[in-house]
Amino acid sequence: MEEKRKLTRREFLQVSALATASVALTACKQPTPMATTAPTVEPPKATEVPKTEEPKEEPKAEETKASEPAVTAESAKFKEAPMLAKLVEAGTLPPVDERLPMNPYIVDVAESIGKYGGNWRRAFNGVSDRWGPTKLNDRTLAWFDKDLNMKPKLLESWEVSADTKTWTFHLRKGVKFSDGVELTSEHFKWFYENQVLNAELTTTPPQSHASRGPDGKWITCEMEFPDDYTVVLKFALPKPMLFYEGGGTRSINGWLTPGYYMQQWHIGLVDDKAALEAKIKDAGFDSWVPFFNDFKNRFDLNPERPQITPFLLKGSLAEERFVMERNPYYYGVDPEGNQTPYIDTVTHRLFENAEMLNMWVINGEIDYQYRHLSFGNYTLYKENEANGDYRVLLGVSAGHQALQLNLSTKNPQLNAFFNTRDVRIAVSHAINRDEINELVWNGMLKPRQYSPLPMSPSYYPKLSEAYIEYDPDKANALLDGAGYDKKGADGIRLFPDGTPISFIVEGTADTGTPDEDSVQLVCKYLEAVGIKATYKYFERALYSEHYSANEIEAAYWGGDRTVLPLVPGAIIFRGVQPDRPWCPGYGFYYNDNEDVNGVKPPDGHFIYKIWDIWDNQVSVEPDPAKQVKLFEGILDIWAEELPMIGILGEMPAPTIAKNGFMNVLAGYPNDDTTGDEQFLQSESFFWDDPEKHTA
């Protein structure tokens, strides 16, 4: 039995995880943001709506009575969950046809049309883990199908001018917020006029509404709203990658706001400013800006804010257990016209450490989860499949184990040290990747630099294979040649002023985890060539505070977004995203050269070449194939300069799925670009026997 388990482990990981994921994506093409139209749902003929007179005035939800429904259940064009049908019968909810748009978004189903009902149990690790519930929840203008092609989602279609300066959005008619208010162009207009153009709320224009000029200044676009369902954006410069740069596939919060609700929290729109200021103070905020942006306008912190997501948050992320419920106004249907989501509720349960999460998994207390599961625990998960009544699915993680030396650190000696090319190459050669792979990961990962994965259209072996050979002699020679040839009695090299070369490596890998074992080995290898690196664990919220203030010296943080690096992973390769801290200060400067945490790169720094290629070549090229080719110029610089030291990658990524939990995909790439669970369109998940899985 034991021999069979070992064989299955190796074969299953290598063949099923890696080969399956690679084959599935080999033919994928770079998605394009060009003119696109949503497919039209074809509901069954038996459920067509009969011709009736239009009511003179649309009834409000509370005025709709069960005895006189606008559309009967038998004649309804679309179908709904039984729990919603009961609310319609009770007169507390409008019929499904009135809640859905004329042309709903058609949700992909991985396996089959689903069944209504049931609860989905998953785990999260606190308020700082808001990305868990956020990523599984729809918030996008456009999204990817299973083949990674972009298609309209909240939008019905869009058009782009030949020079890509003008974008025209066509909204789905009849999409409604969770309180029943119809979403129209007015909500885009309110956001533009009262948030984007408000200097207090928006010190730097968001990339969704601005183009970057040659002087580095962001130029806010002009917007027009010809009718209730059309939004036009006019940019000063070409903007072919609007959705990629502007978050069209990430969040609608950068595009629209339910102004009818948010205006009560806007200091410039309320009559009684003193009353609002008192509320702001009582909530613990010093000013109205963070109160508005970071509290009232975030669905994960303010459940009262109307949403257009498939699930609605009930309660607070600060609770040990919080629930998300089906949104009765969600605008998506399956191919047969059944409103989604299928599942009634999602219960998120707080775990304190990895051991607690693993215990829930093997006890069968997790229904579906990718986030926070470690490949290092694969054997544990696999051995307990039968007892826990679940199955282990394997994809490929787009994440990399990487050592990120902060090139923008405020420490002048470390800054000079890290910004020396030969130092970074020496550090790479000092790391024995094969040994880490065998000792910690049973040889299942691949030594590689941080770079696009093999299934990516941007795969670039020149970068992935650069300087990955273990060669401590070469590392020592490079460090000596860079002027760091003097050592103390302990063997640690010295800065020019005689102090030892030492720095802290921050990370969120907790004690006893494989990632923590990996980074400790990296520190050991660096000490062997005379560099003192000490790993220090930080809870994620504190870790985030450090890189957000550019207070981090170095980090062990798995880079991701390497399947579709232009969507929007290029922000990592560009060095403009603070939470991938190889140069957070430079990123702050790029986004706003007056940011207090910004650090201007020294003249001649290679990052200026990266920014130039992106700003003046990649981001203004309308042809997606040419975008990918131009992006290779940035990858060439990475292969030469090695801004981030990759260690291992292509890690098999486990997902736990309870038996009977349906419409999930095996073998897909787990990449933050595609939102982890969100990529699978969680609104299509269902139970084969929902009554056995209630909240």
Side-chain angles (χ1 to χ4, degrees):
M1 186 70 176
E2 179 67 15
E3 183 180 2
K4 183 179 179 182
R5 181 188 64 76
K6 289 182 179 179
L7 289 173
T8 301
R9 181 184 185 205
R10 179 67 61 131
E11 293 174 359
F12 188 60
L13 289 178
Q14 292 182 328
V15 178
S16 178
L18 303 180
T20 301
S22 296
V23 171
L25 295 173
T26 298
C28 293
K29 297 180 180 180
Q30 178 73 14
T32 172
M34 293 293 103
T36 293
T37 303
T40 302
V41 66
E42 297 290 344
K45 292 182 179 180
T47 60
E48 291 180 354
V49 181
K51 293 181 179 180
T52 58
E53 292 184 4
E54 292 290 330
K56 295 181 179 180
E57 183 177 353
E58 184 177 344
K60 298 179 180 179
E62 62 270 21
E63 298 175 342
T64 303
K65 304 298 181 182
S67 59
E68 297 179 345
V71 182
T72 66
E74 290 75 18
S75 67
K77 186 178 180 181
F78 303 106
K79 301 300 182 183
E80 64 188 344
M83 63 176 293
L84 298 182
K86 291 179 180 179
L87 297 177
V88 174
E89 292 176 3
T92 58
L93 190 69
V96 61
D97 283 15
E98 294 183 15
R99 302 196 313 268
L100 282 166
M102 296 175 61
N103 183 22
Y105 170 70
I106 304 177
V107 177
D108 286 334
V109 293
E111 297 173 304
S112 66
I113 300 299
K115 300 177 182 179
Y116 286 117
N119 177 61
W120 163 15
R121 298 172 300 173
R122 67 181 305 280
F124 81 117
N125 65 358
V127 176
S128 62
D129 190 29
R130 64 188 179 91
W131 301 113
T134 295
K135 286 180 178 179
L136 67 88
N137 222 1
D138 167 275
R139 305 169 298 139
T140 58
L141 299 181
W143 195 238
F144 306 104
D145 62 17
K146 293 189 291 292
D147 296 320
L148 298 180
N149 297 306
M150 188 185 293
K151 66 179 185 179
K153 194 161 192 179
L154 181 61
L155 300 180
E156 185 168 288
S157 65
W158 65 80
E159 300 155 6
V160 189
S161 63
D163 61 5
T164 71
K165 293 182 180 180
T166 301
W167 286 70
T168 303
F169 296 166
H170 300 286
L171 312 183
R172 297 181 187 273
K173 297 180 180 180
V175 172
K176 294 179 174 63
F177 286 96
S178 53
D179 58 358
V181 175
E182 185 179 10
L183 187 153
T184 67
S185 61
E186 180 63 29
H187 301 98
F188 287 80
K189 181 180 181 182
W190 195 97
F191 177 83
Y192 176 69
E193 294 180 347
N194 297 293
Q195 290 187 239
V196 174
L197 300 182
N198 185 286
E200 290 185 88
L201 285 175
T202 308
T203 56
T204 301
Q207 293 189 34
S208 54
H209 292 74
S211 49
R212 183 177 170 88
D215 59 354
K217 300 292 185 180
W218 292 95
I219 308 169
T220 303
C221 70
E222 296 179 358
M223 293 191 69
E224 298 175 357
F225 311 91
D227 56 54
D228 287 346
Y229 305 104
T230 307
V231 176
V232 181
L233 298 92
K234 295 184 176 181
F235 295 93
L237 299 168
K239 193 74 171 181
M241 305 182 75
L242 173 62
F243 282 164
Y244 301 168
E245 295 180 300
T249 63
R250 301 287 293 176
S251 173
I252 63 160
N253 287 341
W255 292 97
L256 63 93
T257 297
Y260 63 92
Y261 170 82
M262 291 302 300
Q263 64 184 9
Q264 65 184 306
W265 314 118
H266 194 297
I267 199 72
L269 300 178
V270 296
D271 295 327
D272 193 342
K273 291 181 174 56
L276 177 57
E277 289 172 348
K279 292 178 181 178
I280 293 168
K281 185 177 180 180
D282 290 342
F285 291 88
D286 294 330
S287 74
W288 80 281
V289 173
F291 175 82
F292 183 97
N293 282 334
D294 301 330
F295 182 43
K296 290 299 182 180
N297 201 36
R298 279 178 48 181
F299 88 94
D300 55 307
L301 297 179
N302 181 19
E304 296 179 358
R305 182 189 185 274
Q307 295 294 318
I308 56 174
T309 55
F311 297 101
L312 304 175
L313 190 66
K314 303 294 182 180
S316 168
L317 269 69
E319 300 171 1
E320 292 189 6
R321 192 186 300 259
F322 72 94
V323 176
M324 299 171 74
E325 296 181 354
R326 171 195 291 110
N327 179 3
Y329 289 92
Y330 182 60
Y331 60 93
V333 301
D334 68 20
E336 294 186 2
N338 302 295
Q339 186 187 28
T340 58
Y342 296 129
I343 285 180
D344 293 338
T345 56
V346 185
T347 300
H348 306 260
R349 187 179 175 192
L350 179 68
F351 67 94
E352 296 178 355
N353 48 53
E355 289 74 18
M356 180 179 288
L357 174 59
N358 290 335
M359 181 183 67
W360 292 347
V361 170
I362 65 177
N363 287 341
E365 299 175 51
I366 296 295
D367 296 325
Y368 182 83
Q369 184 102 11
Y370 156 71
R371 191 172 176 83
H372 302 303
L373 298 186
S374 170
F375 171 65
N377 297 313
Y378 171 77
T379 301
L380 174 69
Y381 300 151
K382 194 68 181 173
E383 289 176 340
N384 288 276
E385 275 185 318
N387 290 335
D389 191 29
Y390 62 81
R391 59 201 188 275
V392 182
L393 308 175
L394 282 170
V396 177
S397 173
H400 289 65
Q401 296 173 13
L403 177 64
Q404 304 190 41
L405 308 175
N406 182 4
L407 306 190
S408 63
T409 176
K410 299 173 183 177
N411 182 313
Q413 295 198 111
L414 281 178
N415 189 292
F417 185 66
F418 292 160
N419 274 288
T420 302
R421 173 180 175 271
D422 282 355
V423 166
R424 298 191 298 275
I425 295 173
V427 168
S428 187
H429 282 307
I431 298 171
N432 191 336
R433 294 170 175 82
D434 288 330
E435 187 172 72
I436 297 175
N437 195 19
E438 291 299 325
L439 290 178
V440 181
W441 303 102
N442 295 320
M444 296 311 303
L445 278 63
K446 291 189 178 179
R448 68 192 324 275
Q449 297 293 352
Y450 175 78
S451 59
L453 294 186
M455 68 281 293
S456 171
S458 296
Y459 178 54
Y460 208 59
K462 178 181 178 180
L463 170 56
S464 61
E465 299 169 5
Y467 315 115
I468 60 173
E469 304 86 3
Y470 175 55
D471 193 337
D473 291 337
K474 183 180 290 187
N476 279 308
L478 287 168
L479 290 168
D480 289 345
Y484 299 98
D485 53 335
K486 295 181 175 58
K487 298 180 180 179
D490 58 358
I492 299 301
R493 297 176 183 272
L494 305 175
F495 286 121
D497 68 353
T499 57
I501 298 177
S502 174
F503 55 88
I504 299 295
V505 180
E506 298 189 16
T508 59
D510 206 350
T511 303
T513 62
D515 281 313
E516 195 260 353
D517 292 339
S518 293
V519 68
Q520 293 291 8
L521 284 171
V522 169
C523 292
K524 185 192 77 170
Y525 300 136
L526 294 185
E527 187 167 358
V529 297
I531 299 172
K532 183 66 174 179
T534 304
Y535 176 68
K536 189 172 183 179
Y537 164 79
F538 284 93
E539 192 275 328
R540 184 162 180 175
L542 184 57
Y543 171 79
S544 299
E545 288 181 13
H546 284 190
Y547 66 64
S548 296
N550 193 31
E551 294 176 349
I552 211 162
E553 294 179 343
Y556 176 86
W557 185 250
D560 49 20
R561 307 180 186 178
T562 55
V563 174
L564 296 173
L566 304 187
V567 191
I571 56 180
I572 300 175
F573 289 100
R574 289 158 56 199
V576 297
Q577 185 183 14
D579 69 347
R580 301 298 187 271
W582 66 269
C583 63
Y586 296 165
F588 287 126
Y589 175 83
Y590 174 90
N591 292 306
D592 181 4
N593 55 30
E594 296 182 359
D595 193 307
V596 294
N597 293 315
V599 176
K600 183 181 180 183
D603 293 342
H605 198 284
F606 66 84
I607 201 168
Y608 287 114
K609 297 179 182 177
I610 292 175
W611 292 348
D612 178 68
I613 292 173
W614 181 267
D615 292 340
N616 299 312
Q617 298 182 45
V618 179
S619 69
V620 297
E621 172 56 58
D623 186 330
K626 292 181 180 179
Q627 291 171 359
V628 172
K629 190 65 179 177
L630 291 169
F631 183 64
E632 291 181 358
I634 293 176
L635 300 180
D636 274 332
I637 295 173
W638 270 65
E640 177 69 20
E641 296 288 347
L642 209 62
M644 184 190 303
I645 294 92
I647 301 168
L648 299 168
E650 298 182 52
M651 180 186 295
T655 296
I656 298 299
K658 196 80 170 176
N659 291 327
F661 193 87
M662 310 300 291
N663 270 347
V664 299
L665 293 173
Y668 73 96
N670 295 308
D671 191 349
D672 193 53
T673 297
T674 52
D676 304 336
E677 284 109 326
Q678 188 186 2
F679 171 66
L680 302 179
Q681 307 217 85
S682 55
E683 59 264 46
S684 74
F685 295 167
F686 73 96
W687 288 105
D688 62 352
D689 192 348
E691 293 184 1
K692 292 183 178 180
H693 303 278
T694 57

